Amino acid sequence: MEWTKAVQKFSIGPRFAHASCQVNGKIYIFGGQKKGYLDDLWTWDTAGDEWISYTVNGKVPPPRVQSTLVFTGQEALLFGGYCENVAESNDLHSCLHG
């Protein structure tokens, strides 16, 4: 096994402490931290080697770091983490995959 740097058409920029999961050959990234906490959702398309930004319908979960994102087969579940001015969070958010 050998690591190589992936070629990106553009980058979403540096971040850390984000949540991620893999669904059908795509990697989903939510939130994390750059200069402040983030609440954006991105997908890395492994077939097209590109980042895709998602516009989510409805209320977006509050910006957070160190949360967990899992895919159940029908929906993505985002749990917990640290939210600005809240400390630890135990909230659970669901987003249908479609």
Side-chain angles (χ1 to χ4, degrees):
M1 186 163 56
E2 179 181 349
W3 285 101
T4 61
K5 189 170 181 177
V7 176
Q8 303 177 61
K9 294 177 182 172
F10 79 96
S11 175
I12 62 173
R15 66 179 59 210
F16 63 95
H18 52 274
S20 64
C21 71
Q22 183 273 336
V23 180
N24 299 326
K26 296 182 180 180
I27 300 169
Y28 290 80
I29 303 285
F30 179 85
Q33 186 172 358
K34 199 165 165 173
K35 291 184 179 179
Y37 287 13
L38 302 169
D39 65 354
D40 53 352
L41 179 64
W42 289 86
T43 297
W44 172 254
D45 182 351
T46 57
D49 289 336
E50 66 180 334
W51 287 106
I52 301 166
S53 174
Y54 274 86
T55 301
V56 179
N57 295 326
K59 190 173 180 183
V60 176
R64 63 190 60 221
V65 298
Q66 298 181 352
S67 56
T68 300
L69 183 65
V70 296
F71 185 66
T72 68
Q74 296 181 356
E75 63 185 343
L77 297 172
L78 179 70
F79 177 76
Y82 290 89
C83 299
E84 288 181 304
N85 304 319
V86 176
E88 298 94 358
S89 172
N90 68 347
D91 58 353
L92 179 66
H93 298 269
S94 171
C95 183
L96 293 177
H97 183 261

